[in-house]
Amino acid sequence: MAPAAMTFASSLSDAQPVSYWLDDPAKPGALPALTGDEHCDLLVVGGGYSGLWTALLAKERDPGRDVVLIEGREVGWAASGRNGGFCAASLTHGFGNGLARWPGELAKLEELGDRNLDAIEAAVKEYSIDCDFERTGEIDVATEPYQVDELHEMYEEATRLGFDGLELLDQDAVRAEVNSPTFLGGLWSRRGVAMLHPARLAWGLKQACMDLGVRVYENTQGLGLGTSGAGMVVRTPYGRVLARRVALGTNVFPSLVRRVRAYTVPVYDYALMTEPLSAQQLAEIGWKRRQGLGDSANQFHYFRITADHRILWGGYDAIYPYGGKVSAEMDHRPETYLKLASHFFHCFPQLEGLRFSHAWGGAIDTCSRFSAFFGTAHGGKVAYAAGYTGLGVGATRFGADVMLDLLSGERTERTELEMVRSKPLPFPPEPVAWAGIGLTKWSLARADTNGGRRNAWLRAMDRLGLGFDS
């Protein structure tokens, strides 16, 4: 191993193979599994953000509604406890994706996204959820000259359409915020993103649900979905739940509505967490306003600073397992950790000698349009939302509102959206999916090293509205 690689490897020697967020003394104990039969008005399947927000909002809408939530493991153990803690207002996986797909309703989507983030902030306060919520915003940083041009174009387009809250930063300005020799410019969304402790948000939502009367069962997997008289029944390992309505928040895991499965594939994403920075190290990088950051490449990194002065560094590799199988074996990938460590010290060479305390991975549900889709089944008695593609920390609350609207049969400003009424293109079966995703990843990596120029394959995918992202 080359000396530089040895240095990167040594920085990982003490890293614990577990999510930093889940390795927390505040983690609550598991609740008992369901045994026997349960009856309720609304059953929520899934104890991540999607299910938790659905259960909470259902009780807020109608305190008398009898709500049960089941979770296959423990609340927050999957993506909700492994992500970067970026809680974005965007419902469309960013302004550019929204503009490309729903230009006619982008203003409404942006408004709904802003209101949704405000509501999350209000809920954190109302339910006293201790999750380090900070409305710091996010800076998209350019590390190549062509990315500077792209950020300028994005800023000009947003300004032309009347969207404010964005600040364009030149090289000196972005380095004054966060000091990296790789930064050439930035676009700062000052209010559009909050930073938070993702697992504590999930645990706080769980407690809020229980305080409102939601019955929560952990280690209770939904095994099958069927009709039961005028309602639905979900089988579990030790019992079943009979419900008038069912909301599915299973996201990356196979949907209980089989036809939905073709719309998503799992993508494994990985992250590192450093040890706490010293006062001198903090002074060397600045970052006093604690924004979230993401670079502008196709194979991108996301990074942020925590309440206890650590740096989370994640992204870049997006690993699709053949056949789309979700497996615990994929949760760790040392070759990706080593690659991430080398990229970290390239970005922050002044932090040489810093070590990583945690290294972990997890599965994201991605769809071909990069943002959530919605629908119903069984005559409107079952609703689902999936496909958040890495931006589910905030958008899942909006998705919960959509599912509850659909289950009630109401026509609302949400259900009238083309985004809600339409579906992404499904992924093809294997081995076509494996080959197509592999070619797309290769093409995206090539574009990153070729001034952002997209080859014929990517241009064809753009025309079809297909993509692959995390």
Side-chain angles (χ1 to χ4, degrees):
M1 186 179 289
M6 284 290 292
T7 300
F8 304 144
S10 66
S11 71
L12 292 160
S13 62
D14 296 323
Q16 298 298 304
V18 64
S19 165
Y20 166 77
W21 311 116
L22 296 174
D23 187 21
D24 187 326
K27 181 180 179 182
L31 296 171
L34 171 67
T35 56
D37 284 358
E38 255 285 21
H39 297 78
C40 59
D41 296 324
L42 173 66
L43 170 64
V44 179
V45 181
Y49 298 137
S50 190
L52 292 164
W53 281 118
T54 303
L56 184 67
L57 293 174
K59 293 296 284 186
E60 289 183 347
R61 290 186 181 198
D62 180 2
R65 180 160 25 191
D66 191 23
V67 180
V68 168
L69 183 149
I70 62 173
E71 161 56 40
R73 294 278 291 272
E74 294 180 33
V75 162
W77 79 276
S80 298
R82 302 173 189 236
N83 62 82
F86 288 63
C87 186
S90 177
L91 306 175
T92 61
H93 208 270
F95 179 85
N97 191 53
L99 183 63
R101 298 181 185 280
W102 303 288
E105 61 185 29
L106 183 59
K108 172 57 69 174
L109 288 166
E110 291 285 306
E111 177 198 341
L112 288 169
D114 289 341
R115 282 160 46 188
N116 184 65
L117 183 55
D118 289 342
I120 292 172
E121 185 172 14
V124 166
K125 183 177 181 180
E126 177 181 355
Y127 295 106
S128 300
I129 299 175
D130 179 16
C131 64
D132 301 331
F133 188 98
E134 298 179 280
R135 196 81 173 256
T136 59
E138 179 181 5
I139 302 176
D140 292 327
V141 297
T143 57
E144 297 289 342
Y146 78 88
Q147 295 170 9
V148 175
D149 296 337
E150 291 177 349
L151 292 181
H152 277 262
E153 291 170 7
M154 187 68 67
Y155 175 77
E156 290 168 1
E157 184 68 12
T159 301
R160 184 183 68 81
L161 294 173
F163 298 105
D164 54 14
L166 297 176
E167 182 177 347
L168 198 60
L169 306 176
D170 63 16
Q171 178 174 294
D172 291 340
V174 72
R175 292 184 185 181
E177 295 296 331
V178 184
N179 183 22
S180 167
T182 67
F183 294 173
L184 304 180
L187 186 60
W188 183 4
S189 172
R190 284 185 167 270
R191 294 279 298 167
V193 181
M195 296 291 105
L196 52 76
H197 186 306
R200 289 189 182 180
L201 174 62
W203 300 332
L205 290 173
K206 170 185 170 181
Q207 186 61 54
C209 286
M210 295 169 63
D211 290 344
L212 293 182
V214 177
R215 297 191 299 287
V216 179
Y217 296 96
E218 295 182 302
N219 294 304
T220 301
Q221 185 180 2
L223 300 176
L225 172 70
T227 58
S228 177
M232 304 300 301
V233 60
V234 171
R235 292 184 296 104
T236 69
Y238 307 126
R240 58 182 186 162
V241 184
L242 294 96
R244 292 179 58 249
R245 298 288 185 268
V246 177
L248 300 178
T250 49
N251 295 309
V252 76
F253 299 98
S255 177
L256 294 180
V257 177
R258 186 171 292 274
R259 70 171 184 267
V260 175
R261 297 179 184 180
Y263 290 111
T264 63
V265 295
V267 177
Y268 278 83
D269 180 58
Y270 300 91
L272 306 177
M273 185 70 84
T274 73
E275 63 189 355
L277 274 65
S278 68
Q280 180 180 347
Q281 289 168 327
L282 286 169
E284 289 174 347
I285 61 169
W287 218 339
K288 294 179 181 178
R289 292 196 254 200
R290 307 176 57 79
Q291 308 95 327
L293 281 87
D295 65 53
S296 301
N298 292 305
Q299 289 186 290
F300 64 93
H301 304 90
Y302 55 88
F303 39 118
R304 50 82 55 98
I305 195 161
T306 66
D308 59 349
H309 309 305
R310 301 168 184 262
I311 297 175
L312 178 143
W313 179 267
Y316 194 80
D317 275 351
I319 306 301
Y320 169 70
Y322 184 86
K325 184 179 179 182
V326 179
S327 168
E329 295 176 3
M330 294 288 295
D331 285 348
H332 297 289
R333 199 165 189 267
E335 59 266 46
T336 293
Y337 299 152
L338 190 61
K339 187 183 299 181
L340 286 173
S342 70
H343 295 172
F344 176 87
F345 290 111
H346 175 69
C347 182
F348 295 117
Q350 66 269 51
L351 297 181
E352 182 180 355
L354 192 66
R355 300 174 70 82
F356 297 100
S357 63
H358 296 76
W360 71 93
I364 294 169
D365 62 324
T366 192
C367 70
S368 61
R369 71 184 194 187
F370 312 147
S371 55
F373 63 91
F374 315 89
T376 61
H378 293 277
K381 290 180 286 190
V382 176
Y384 57 83
Y388 290 96
T389 317
L391 258 69
V393 180
T396 44
R397 186 191 175 280
F398 173 82
D401 262 331
V402 171
M403 284 196 284
L404 292 172
D405 289 350
L406 294 172
L407 289 173
S408 71
E410 298 177 44
R411 292 181 62 178
T412 70
E413 61 181 344
R414 290 178 289 265
T415 62
E416 293 299 295
L417 292 167
E418 181 188 349
M419 176 192 180
V420 171
R421 292 184 289 106
S422 63
K423 295 284 193 301
L425 289 173
F427 289 94
E430 298 293 13
V432 179
W434 171 261
I437 290 171
L439 180 55
T440 301
K441 288 179 60 180
W442 176 84
S443 299
L444 290 170
R446 187 176 181 184
D448 283 339
T449 59
N450 194 29
R453 289 185 287 276
R454 299 171 75 82
N455 63 15
W457 174 260
L458 291 180
R459 294 196 300 273
M461 293 298 98
D462 292 341
R463 287 193 295 273
L464 293 171
L466 280 167
F468 178 77
D469 203 353
S470 67

